Amino acid sequence: DPATVMSLGYCYLQLGYPASAEISYKQAFLHLPGNTQIIHGLVSALLQMERFDETIPLLEETIKNKPQERKYWLAQVDALNNSGKTDDALINLESVRRLNNITPNALILLGDLYLIKELPTLALEVYSESLLYKNPASFSRLFRSASQLTQSGEPEASIKLIHNIEHRLKISESENNKLLSLKSDNLLSLGKYDEAFPFLKSTVSREPMNGRAIFQLARYYVFKKDTFNAEFYFQQAEKIDSIQRKALIAHAKLLIEERELKKAAALLEKAQFIKHESYIEKYLNQIKQLLKR
């Protein structure tokens, strides 16, 4: 009885025995070819075993029969993506999008794929589109998307997405602080130091142990040629483990510009103690040679 065998496959799947589930579903499939329940179960079993390539043709057949069924498109996207076939995954997601049948989380994935393809404008478009739904993508996923735009060298796109998040999502104070910190990073990378300053000051006043914000504030004062405040904030950043080494090196560079070579060398030695780097060692040796003269 194929229905009984199919039920057995379902039980195996729920119990965490995908190989046994595969055998049952394949037996049922011999009697009921094209049955979507069987195909769905078989695909689930194969995905659990990470046999992604085998799921793709099965889902292709199902999609032809039921093109409006979003779950099959998205399951195939998952299989294609995990098989390294990102171009095909992107095409699938765009197909679902054009059917007006895509989910906010699927849009985030589509944006990620566009970013991999170095198409940040399209990535920003679909990331922002995910905010238009009654139940939009989560803050954590959208914040990650904005961060990825920053890391991909697209600070302006990141700022636009941050703006959209601020206007579309109800966010907590801690989430708002994350956005402000990321926004200031983007502004600094664009050379807009004066625009970044109020965000940095606000972040540091609320989060006095936010090492990244303190470090960026020190950078702002370096830009403004305010050595006193720059040194003060570098010294504060040096007390925070997550940013300590970076702050020591940046502080040393400032001291070198101020001809304070002995102090700079001491800071670089501290940085080397945390993590040894050959380029820092070379730089440090040059300073020591200058001090001997």
Side-chain angles (χ1 to χ4, degrees):
D1 178 10
T4 303
V5 177
M6 182 172 65
S7 298
L8 189 61
Y10 176 80
C11 292
Y12 281 133
L13 200 58
Q14 298 307 305
L15 290 168
Y17 299 113
S20 298
E22 178 195 0
I23 294 167
S24 296
Y25 279 123
K26 282 185 173 178
Q27 286 177 350
F29 192 69
L30 291 172
H31 299 282
L32 296 170
N35 182 289
T36 52
Q37 279 185 289
I38 295 172
I39 291 172
H40 185 73
L42 181 54
V43 165
S44 298
L46 293 170
L47 287 175
Q48 279 190 29
M49 293 183 287
E50 298 186 357
R51 286 159 56 187
F52 304 110
D53 285 336
E54 293 175 57
T55 70
I56 295 167
L58 281 170
L59 287 163
E60 189 69 39
E61 184 179 315
T62 310
I63 288 166
K64 285 179 181 177
N65 294 327
K66 295 194 172 185
Q68 296 298 324
E69 286 283 350
R70 178 173 62 200
K71 62 184 178 183
Y72 299 120
W73 285 96
L74 297 182
Q76 193 179 49
V77 166
D78 186 37
L80 290 164
N81 208 24
N82 281 292
S83 297
K85 298 173 181 176
T86 53
D87 286 346
D88 291 332
L90 194 154
I91 291 166
N92 259 32
L93 281 170
E94 271 296 355
S95 298
V96 182
R97 185 185 178 202
R98 288 168 187 169
L99 290 168
N100 296 316
N101 204 12
I102 199 164
T103 65
N105 285 339
L107 282 168
I108 295 290
L109 176 57
L110 179 57
D112 293 346
L113 293 174
Y114 275 131
L115 209 49
I116 289 168
K117 296 297 175 188
E118 299 182 357
L119 296 167
T121 302
L122 292 174
L124 172 62
E125 180 185 319
V126 293
Y127 286 149
S128 299
E129 189 178 321
S130 75
L131 282 158
L132 302 178
Y133 287 71
K134 185 178 179 181
N135 295 307
S138 66
F139 173 83
S140 60
R141 294 203 71 170
L142 285 158
F143 180 76
R144 183 180 63 82
S145 299
S147 299
Q148 285 180 169
L149 285 167
T150 301
Q151 291 159 15
S152 299
E154 299 294 335
E156 291 180 330
S158 180
I159 288 171
K160 287 177 183 176
L161 182 56
I162 290 168
H163 175 82
N164 292 338
I165 293 169
E166 288 172 332
H167 285 79
R168 289 282 180 178
L169 286 186
K170 290 182 180 179
I171 56 177
S172 67
E173 184 178 349
S174 64
E175 289 170 342
N176 185 57
N177 291 343
K178 285 184 177 181
L179 289 180
L180 290 177
S181 182
L182 184 59
K183 187 184 290 185
S184 64
D185 285 352
N186 287 318
L187 290 168
L188 286 171
S189 68
L190 290 166
K192 298 180 178 180
Y193 290 89
D194 289 327
E195 284 186 51
F197 178 72
F199 297 117
L200 290 170
K201 284 290 282 184
S202 175
T203 300
V204 171
S205 65
R206 286 191 312 271
E207 301 176 68
M209 295 302 290
N210 187 323
R212 187 172 71 168
I214 295 168
F215 176 77
Q216 297 289 39
L217 196 52
R219 281 184 60 204
Y220 166 80
Y221 283 115
V222 170
F223 169 75
K224 300 299 283 187
K225 301 188 185 307
D226 184 341
T227 304
F228 178 82
N229 276 310
E231 280 206 73
F232 173 78
Y233 284 107
F234 276 137
Q235 287 166 359
Q236 298 306 305
E238 286 160 20
K239 297 173 185 176
I240 300 169
D241 290 345
S242 62
I243 202 76
Q244 184 182 26
R245 186 173 180 276
K246 194 173 181 180
L248 286 165
I249 295 169
H251 190 183
K253 287 179 180 178
L254 173 63
L255 290 172
I256 290 165
E257 290 176 8
E258 297 294 316
R259 306 295 182 188
E260 297 276 359
L261 299 184
K262 191 173 181 180
K263 290 182 181 178
L267 293 176
L268 290 175
E269 283 176 343
K270 284 183 182 179
Q272 285 292 78
F273 181 76
I274 296 167
K275 182 185 177 184
H276 189 273
E277 293 277 6
S278 57
Y279 81 95
I280 295 292
E281 184 180 10
K282 185 178 178 181
Y283 198 34
L284 186 55
N285 288 336
Q286 288 173 348
I287 294 169
K288 287 178 177 178
Q289 289 298 318
L290 289 171
L291 286 169
K292 288 178 182 178
R293 292 179 184 177

